[in-house]
């Protein structure tokens, strides 16, 4: 019983506190009305009765409002405690009772929807990251197993270096994927030579290219104003794809008119898959079948996706042209060149 009285008193006090300005005006209005009655010659007893009735009506109003609002707050608090995620409250709020509540309701609904969107995006990114890590683990087992077999069979140094390079490429890919959210923090924009970064990318993948019987011809040059490490990584990804899916082909790399074009005369990309090759996790028919002479079948389907994401962050235009059975040409066109 004492707890109920305490709760009622608390609701009453809350109602008074939230309506301080209104009570001030009601008090001034009542006082003014009493003065008017006194000037008009109304008896003191009648004025006292009217004042008591006026005060009782105000107190009853405050008590009623306090109880209604208290009960409503209890319902909201119970609703909040029962929710699995508190940011979902805006989606399950009861119908607003007044004009002010309607405004708060709209604000809460917008905030809740925004929170739901952010939470859903975070959940999706987490799932995508876990999926990629899982596929990456399966993918990196191949070169590691190959290294163990090579060592067990006498240790062919060239083959061992080739498998270590594949493992290194996979590690670099997952590091760039992990940095995509904060890529701007790792970017260092400066001027460099297109031919230098092409040479660096080709040299780094020479073991894989030689093992796949691929020849590379590079020509041309211009000054690029971008992030050198990212551009080199993107070129390496294109060369890695050639080593995987185009064994025995010829690659020509041209640096001209503010663009780097990487063209091969391999099997090409089917027309119905061309628009999807930069999608996250898309592997395509070439990746799902082992091409004759290819040392590495399959893949994570993340190479061109990461390239596209980096291009978007660096303001580089990515172009892909291909004709099945004839060629594939991928271009990186830079906005700032010298």
């Amino acid at each position: 019983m004492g707890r109920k009285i305490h709760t009622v008193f608390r609701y009453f006090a809350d109602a008074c506190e939230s309506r301080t300005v209104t009570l001030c005006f009601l008090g001034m209005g009542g006082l003014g009305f009493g003065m008017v009655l006194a000037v008009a010659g109304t008896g003191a007893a009648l004025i006292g009765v009217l004042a008591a009735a006026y005060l009782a009506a105000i107190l009853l109003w405050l008590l009623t409002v306090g109880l209604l609002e208290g009960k409503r707050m209890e319902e909201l608090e119970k609703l909040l405690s029962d929710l699995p995620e508190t940011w979902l409250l805006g989606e399950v709020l009861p119908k607003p009772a007044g004009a002010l509540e309607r405004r708060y309701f709209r604000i809460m609904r917008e905030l809740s929807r925004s929170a739901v969107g952010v939470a859903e995006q975070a959940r999706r990114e987490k799932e995508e990251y876990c999926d990629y890590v899982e596929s990456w683990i399966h993918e990196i087992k191949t070169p590691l197993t190959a290294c163990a077999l090579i060592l067990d069979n006498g240790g062919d140094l060239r083959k061992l270096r080739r498998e270590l390079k594949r493992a290194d490429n996979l590690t670099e890919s997952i590091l760039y994927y992990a940095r995509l959210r904060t890529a701007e923090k790792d970017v260092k924009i400066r001027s460099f030579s297109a031919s230098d970064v092409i040479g660096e990318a080709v040299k780094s993948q020479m073991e894989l290219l030689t093992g796949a019987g691929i020849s590379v011809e590079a020509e041309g040059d211009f000054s690029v104003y971008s992030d050198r490490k990212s551009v080199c990584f993107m070129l390496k990804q294109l060369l890695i794809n050639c080593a995987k899916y185009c064994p025995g082909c010829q690659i020509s790399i041209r640096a001209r008119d503010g663009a780097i074009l990487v063209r091969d005369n391999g099997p090409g990309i089917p027309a119905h898959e061309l628009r999807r090759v930069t999608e996250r996790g898309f592997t395509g028919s070439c990746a799902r079948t082992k091409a004759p002479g290819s040392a590495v079948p399959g893949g994570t389907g993340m190479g061109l996706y990461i390239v596209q994401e980096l291009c978007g962050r660096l303001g580089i235009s990515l172009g892909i042209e291909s004709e099945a059975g004839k060629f594939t040409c991928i271009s990186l066109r830079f906005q700032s060149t010298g």
Side-chain angles (χ1 to χ4, degrees):
M1 185 67 180
R3 186 176 180 180
K4 290 184 177 180
I5 294 174
H6 175 74
T7 302
V8 171
F9 180 77
R10 179 166 57 87
Y11 291 159
F12 176 77
D14 290 341
C16 292
E17 183 181 357
S18 63
R19 289 166 176 79
T20 303
V21 176
T22 303
L23 290 175
C24 288
F25 278 101
L26 288 174
M28 289 187 294
L31 183 60
F33 185 67
M35 293 174 63
V36 170
L37 291 177
V39 172
T42 305
L46 181 58
I47 293 177
V49 171
L50 292 175
Y54 183 67
L55 181 60
I58 293 176
L59 292 176
L60 182 60
W61 168 67
L62 288 171
L63 181 61
T64 304
V65 169
L67 290 173
L68 291 175
E69 290 182 348
K71 183 179 179 182
R72 189 171 179 82
M73 286 305 301
E74 284 182 353
E75 293 174 353
L76 288 175
E77 289 173 358
K78 185 178 184 304
L79 187 63
L80 182 62
S81 63
D82 292 341
L83 285 174
E85 301 291 347
T86 56
W87 39 264
L88 292 172
L89 180 62
E91 299 298 314
V92 294
L93 282 174
K95 186 177 179 180
L100 184 60
E101 278 196 16
R102 282 195 292 271
R103 294 178 184 177
Y104 279 118
F105 180 83
R106 286 195 295 267
I107 294 172
M108 285 297 299
R109 178 63 63 86
E110 290 301 320
L111 288 174
S112 180
R113 288 177 177 174
S114 177
V116 169
V118 172
E120 181 63 24
Q121 177 67 17
R123 183 193 62 79
R124 194 161 49 244
E125 289 180 357
K126 180 181 177 181
E127 289 180 355
E128 290 175 352
Y129 186 80
C130 291
D131 289 344
Y132 178 38
V133 170
E134 184 178 349
S135 65
W136 178 85
I137 291 172
H138 288 295
E139 191 75 8
I140 204 169
K141 283 182 180 179
T142 302
L144 294 180
T145 303
C147 286
L149 291 174
I150 291 169
L151 292 173
D152 290 341
N153 289 279
D156 187 316
L157 190 58
R158 287 186 305 171
K159 291 182 178 179
L160 186 61
R161 285 178 176 172
R162 195 178 305 152
E163 297 305 325
L164 288 174
K165 173 53 66 175
R166 290 194 179 102
D168 180 64
N169 288 335
L170 286 167
T171 302
E172 188 177 24
S173 294
I174 199 170
L175 285 175
Y176 267 89
Y177 180 75
R179 292 172 182 166
L180 282 178
R181 297 181 188 176
T182 58
E184 64 279 358
K185 296 181 181 179
D186 302 317
V187 168
K188 295 180 180 179
I189 304 296
R190 58 189 177 89
S191 180
F192 58 90
S193 168
S195 63
D196 286 349
V197 77
I198 291 170
E200 180 183 343
V202 173
K203 183 179 179 180
S204 72
Q205 302 304 316
M206 189 54 70
E207 291 93 347
L208 295 184
L209 296 172
T210 302
I214 294 174
S215 61
V216 181
E217 176 189 354
E219 67 175 22
D221 191 19
F222 59 89
S223 294
V224 181
Y225 192 71
S226 187
D227 179 55
R228 181 188 176 98
K229 287 178 62 178
S230 296
V231 173
C232 186
F233 170 80
M234 289 188 280
L235 291 172
K236 286 192 285 187
Q237 286 299 307
L238 302 183
L239 295 173
I240 291 168
N241 282 351
C242 289
K244 280 185 178 181
Y245 313 126
C246 313
C249 74
Q250 294 180 336
I251 300 175
S252 65
I253 305 177
R254 302 285 183 267
R256 64 188 182 193
D257 301 327
I260 298 176
L261 292 86
V262 181
R263 183 186 178 101
D264 67 67
N265 60 352
I269 304 170
H272 65 279
E273 294 181 356
L274 193 57
R275 294 182 179 179
R276 300 188 60 197
V277 293
T278 56
E279 290 182 7
R280 183 195 173 283
F282 180 75
T283 52
S285 55
C286 290
R288 291 191 291 268
T289 57
K290 182 177 173 66
S294 174
V296 186
T300 60
M302 297 297 291
L304 285 178
Y305 168 78
I306 298 174
V307 169
Q308 178 182 245
E309 291 295 307
L310 288 173
C311 283
R313 285 163 171 74
L314 295 172
I316 301 171
S317 298
L318 176 66
I320 303 177
E321 297 179 16
S322 184
E323 186 174 343
K326 293 186 177 181
F327 76 94
T328 297
C329 181
I330 299 181
S331 63
L332 303 175
R333 189 166 300 278
F334 301 87
Q335 295 180 354
S336 301
T337 60

